[in-house]
Amino acid sequence: MATSINYDEVEVGTALPAQSFPVTRATLVQYAGASGDFNPIHWNERFAREVGLPDVIAHGMFTMAEAARVVTDWLGDPGALVEYGVRFTKPVVVPDDGTGALVEVAGKVAAKLDGRRVRVDLVATSAGQKVLGMSRAVVQLA
């Protein structure tokens, strides 16, 4: 599968479709099972508070992966994602209230690069706070 997005048709400032990702305690348990990351800050409220967190928090790598979905969904080909990196700035707090948290992600083409590649900058927030900083992806376009 190759991306159908043509480099020549993309401009700096092109917005990617924004997405919102719900995160519940059940989501965290599923991710823990899949990743093998059973750190109690991701499922045990008492422990999370004892170590100074406001509540259970989402796994950083889970948050990072959800943000990347905005890019890979836009591309239509996850293999076109060449580089991806973030800085974790704030935790995604996931209350046990039946609703959980929401991670909202928006992105835009920030630069056109050589070799038919572009850099996409992402903004990921939860509860009104930026949860990922310097979230950038380099993608290969057609």
Side-chain angles (χ1 to χ4, degrees):
M1 172 189 296
T3 184
S4 61
I5 298 175
N6 189 305
Y7 177 86
D8 298 324
E9 297 172 2
V10 172
E11 300 296 329
V12 170
T14 298
L16 282 62
Q19 294 187 52
S20 297
F21 303 99
V23 186
T24 64
R25 295 283 178 94
T27 308
L28 300 182
V29 170
Q30 292 167 336
Y31 182 81
S35 69
D37 182 352
F38 295 101
N39 186 323
I41 64 172
H42 303 304
W43 57 269
N44 184 315
E45 185 175 332
R46 179 187 46 78
F47 184 85
R49 290 183 190 280
E50 284 175 359
V51 298
L53 295 168
D55 205 333
V56 165
I57 62 170
H59 303 73
M61 296 302 286
F62 171 80
T63 305
M64 184 179 177
E66 292 290 72
R69 287 178 52 190
V70 169
V71 178
T72 58
D73 286 355
W74 175 65
L75 291 168
D77 175 14
L81 179 63
V82 177
E83 295 176 27
Y84 179 52
V86 306
R87 288 193 181 145
F88 300 106
T89 56
K90 298 274 185 191
V92 175
V93 178
V94 184
D96 189 16
D97 61 1
T99 302
L102 191 66
V103 176
E104 298 174 284
V105 184
K108 69 177 180 178
V109 174
K112 291 186 88 166
L113 309 172
D114 293 336
R116 303 186 72 78
R117 293 180 176 188
V118 299
R119 189 186 86 220
V120 175
D121 290 354
L122 299 168
V123 176
T125 60
S126 183
Q129 294 195 10
K130 194 172 182 181
V131 295
L132 298 176
M134 299 295 293
S135 184
R136 295 181 171 171
V138 173
V139 299
Q140 181 71 54
L141 300 182

